[in-house]
Amino acid sequence: LDGLRAKASIAVTLDPPRVKVPAAGRPTRGPSDAPVEIIEFSDFECPFCLSAFPTVSQVLETYGDRIRFVYRHYPLPNHPNAKPAAEASACAAEQDKFWPYHDRLFSAAGKLSAADLKRHAVDLGLDAATFNACVDSHKFAKDVEADLAAGNDVGVNGTPAFFINGRTLSGAQPFSVFKRVIDEELAKR
C-alpha cells in the first residue's frame, strides 16, 4: 500500500475518525501544549502491554516534547493482579513517583503480588508506611474504576489501547505504525 501511495499523487482530505478521550487528572509525560497527545489504556499484568512498553518508550524518546503521553488504567478481569497494581501505582503517584513505579512494574514483569508491589515501592524510595496504608485501604480503587469506565465509554475492549489525538490504535503495534500516525498528526499542525 505504501509503495502504491508513493507512486501516485493521492491526497486524502478526509479526517480520520477521532474519539474525545478525557485525560484530566491522570499521569502525564511531556508538555501540556504538545501537538500530539497519546492516551494509553493499559494493564500492568497484560503481556501485550508489556510488549508495547519498549515501543512507547521509543515513541517518547523519538518525539520528545512533541508528545504529551497520558496513562489510564484498564485492568482486565482475567488478570487478578492488574487492579491491585493499578491502585498501587496511584499510591506511588501520590508521592510523585508514578512514572518510576510504572516503569518498574513493566520492567519486573510477573512480580505483581501484594508483597512485590510493596517491595517495589521501598526499592524506589517511597515512604513505605504511607504507601502501604494507601494500598491496604484501596484509596484509589474508585479512580481505577473511573478509568475503566472511561475506557468502556470510548470503546476500549482490550489492552493496550491508544488514542493519538483521538485516533484509535489498538493493540501492541510496532513503532512504524505509531510513527505513521504521529507524523500525519504533526504534518497537520
Side-chain angles (χ1 to χ4, degrees):
L1 186 60
D2 289 338
L4 290 173
R5 283 187 179 149
K7 292 177 186 177
S9 58
I10 298 172
V12 177
T13 58
L14 295 174
D15 198 35
R18 295 180 192 277
V19 178
K20 178 76 173 143
V21 183
R26 296 304 180 238
T28 63
R29 284 183 171 166
S32 60
D33 63 347
V36 176
E37 178 181 72
I38 301 174
I39 299 174
E40 177 186 15
F41 284 88
S42 187
D43 170 331
F44 289 114
E45 197 171 0
C46 168
F48 299 106
C49 298
L50 179 62
S51 68
F53 175 65
T55 304
V56 169
S57 298
Q58 183 181 4
V59 165
L60 295 174
E61 185 177 311
T62 300
Y63 289 96
D65 286 347
R66 295 178 290 169
I67 299 284
R68 177 177 187 247
F69 184 77
V70 181
Y71 187 89
R72 302 217 48 188
H73 300 289
Y74 199 85
L76 297 172
N78 57 326
H79 295 152
N81 295 317
K83 188 173 180 194
E87 291 178 23
S89 72
C91 292
E94 189 175 48
Q95 296 185 43
D96 296 323
K97 295 281 189 174
F98 175 82
W99 292 110
Y101 197 82
H102 164 278
D103 294 354
R104 177 62 162 264
L105 293 185
F106 279 123
S107 298
K111 297 187 187 231
L112 299 174
S113 70
D116 290 330
L117 295 173
K118 291 177 179 179
R119 188 171 25 262
H120 295 316
V122 170
D123 292 347
L124 292 169
L126 277 77
D127 179 288
T130 302
F131 180 85
N132 293 348
C134 178
V135 168
D136 292 341
S137 70
H138 302 280
K139 182 175 181 177
F140 292 104
K142 287 184 180 179
D143 290 9
V144 172
E145 288 297 326
D147 276 4
L148 192 57
N152 289 336
D153 289 346
V154 296
V156 173
N157 58 14
T159 54
F162 298 93
F163 295 87
I164 303 174
N165 283 352
R167 294 171 62 177
T168 303
L169 186 64
S170 187
Q173 300 291 328
F175 176 77
S176 60
V177 174
F178 280 90
K179 181 178 179 358
R180 180 182 51 78
V181 176
I182 292 167
D183 289 349
E184 288 173 7
E185 291 300 309
L186 289 172
K188 290 179 181 181
R189 299 287 168 177

